[in-house]
Amino acid sequence: LHKMIMAHRGGSWEQPENTLQAFKYALKNGAQFLETDVCMTKDGVIAVCHDQSLSRLCGVESFVKETNFANLPKFKREMPMHFSKLNKDCEFLNYKRTDDDQDGFSTLEEVF
């Protein structure tokens, strides 16, 4: 049996999700596959992000498709991971960014 390691959103338990930082970290630590999501910005740039809305990661009530890439907001200090329940009361874990963490979106071109 051959074991394959995939980093979901680049390994969002350990790095800011869907960032170039996360993908580099995942590969350095043995990931063989990277799973990611993309959305197109208003100016046609393919941004690496899961949500169409900027609310969860940036705290802004807007959408990626309505925003030029250069104007995408920075990430919040705490980024909720909506797929990871902490307990039976449906509390979710947050990724807490450090000062050294990437604080904005990557392009798909940068990732490739």
Side-chain angles (χ1 to χ4, degrees):
L1 184 64
H2 186 66
K3 183 167 104 173
M4 303 297 254
I5 300 170
M6 181 185 306
H8 180 248
R9 298 185 194 171
S12 55
W13 280 99
E14 299 175 3
Q15 301 291 314
E17 72 177 55
N18 280 319
T19 60
L20 189 56
Q21 173 186 334
F23 299 131
K24 287 179 179 179
Y25 179 86
L27 292 172
K28 180 180 172 186
N29 287 281
Q32 297 155 306
F33 298 94
L34 301 173
E35 182 277 336
T36 191
D37 308 279
V38 297
C39 300
M40 188 174 293
T41 62
K42 184 178 180 180
D43 54 346
V45 176
I46 300 175
V48 180
C49 59
H50 178 269
D51 304 354
Q52 289 286 328
S53 168
L54 296 167
S55 177
R56 180 176 65 90
L57 296 182
C58 303
V60 175
E61 295 301 321
S62 186
F63 293 91
V64 174
K65 68 181 181 180
E66 298 171 345
T67 310
N68 288 331
F69 186 81
N71 297 329
L72 288 173
K74 300 295 182 193
F75 297 144
K76 297 187 300 187
R77 286 302 261 179
E78 290 194 28
M79 301 162 63
M81 293 190 290
H82 64 283
F83 56 85
S84 302
K85 290 183 182 173
L86 180 60
N87 57 38
K88 65 181 178 178
D89 296 324
C90 294
E91 292 181 72
F92 294 98
L93 296 174
N94 292 342
Y95 178 82
K96 294 179 174 95
R97 286 192 315 102
T98 68
D99 290 339
D100 295 329
D101 280 341
Q102 182 175 332
D103 64 357
F105 296 94
S106 298
T107 66
L108 186 59
E109 184 176 1
E110 289 173 315
V111 171
F112 280 112

